[in-house]
Amino acid sequence: MKTIISLLLMLGFVSTAMAQQSGGDALDYGDHTSVTLMVKAWDALGAGQYADAVAYTEKCAELYEEEAMKMQASLSEKAPKGKEHDYWALNDVGTCYFIRGEALVKLNKDAEALEAYNVVVDKLYYAQAWDPKGWFWSPASAAKQKIIILSAKKKGDF
């Protein structure tokens, strides 16, 4: 009986670890649009499928980062109200880097998370993320706060 319980416990731990560490090969990227990849990344993050969230964000950056950088370079401030959606690649890739940072923190990969957050802050700072509640928010502003927290953690401040 102890052996059976031990085996069941081990299977539970393995399946939980696999759920958190899966990713990449068997993912459904849908129509490969930036918005689909970003939504799938958010969904994976919310479901605790952190490696999948990272994989979706990597695919989004692979396909759309060049266009996002062009859009970033064309701006001298955030897109004006009513024009935010015109900067779809910038917004989706910037949001994906933020999601990547969040997922990497959950995977205890703080150094990689800092790198992801820094991309948003340093290179995609005009990105805006749409909140389904009806407004845009700044992934760069949110990433700055995450950088402060991770930097303090790295220094041992908490």
Side-chain angles (χ1 to χ4, degrees):
M1 186 62 152
K2 287 182 183 178
T3 305
I4 293 172
I5 292 172
S6 295
L7 282 172
L8 290 173
L9 285 173
M10 279 182 35
L11 284 174
F13 289 127
V14 169
S15 64
T16 300
M18 286 175 63
Q20 291 181 351
Q21 298 293 330
S22 69
D25 298 334
L27 291 181
D28 173 14
Y29 294 112
D31 60 7
H32 285 76
T33 62
S34 61
V35 70
T36 295
L37 295 167
M38 183 208 28
V39 169
K40 285 181 173 283
W42 273 127
D43 290 346
L45 181 67
Q49 298 167 333
Y50 307 124
D52 289 352
V54 171
Y56 287 123
T57 64
E58 287 172 346
K59 180 59 79 176
C60 186
E62 173 190 327
L63 296 174
Y64 299 103
E65 188 166 354
E66 185 177 330
E67 184 65 24
M69 292 296 186
K70 288 178 189 174
M71 290 178 176
Q72 172 70 34
S74 75
L75 293 169
S76 58
E77 60 185 24
K78 288 182 185 165
K81 189 171 181 133
K83 297 287 186 185
E84 300 94 344
H85 292 292
D86 293 350
Y87 298 90
W88 56 271
L90 172 60
N91 295 339
D92 295 344
V93 174
T95 301
C96 277
Y97 271 103
F98 179 80
I99 296 167
R100 184 184 306 184
E102 295 291 277
L104 289 166
V105 166
K106 296 291 188 179
L107 291 168
N108 295 313
K109 296 181 178 183
D110 292 353
E112 291 176 51
L114 274 170
E115 289 175 20
Y117 291 136
N118 277 313
V119 170
V120 182
V121 171
D122 296 338
K123 296 181 180 178
L124 301 169
Y125 41 89
Y126 292 142
Q128 298 182 72
W130 177 252
D131 188 300
K133 295 177 185 167
W135 61 81
F136 284 95
W137 57 276
S138 169
S141 294
K144 284 179 187 177
Q145 297 306 311
K146 301 293 184 168
I147 290 168
I148 291 167
I149 292 166
L150 285 176
S151 297
K153 181 178 173 184
K154 186 176 178 181
K155 291 178 187 175
D157 289 350
F158 67 91

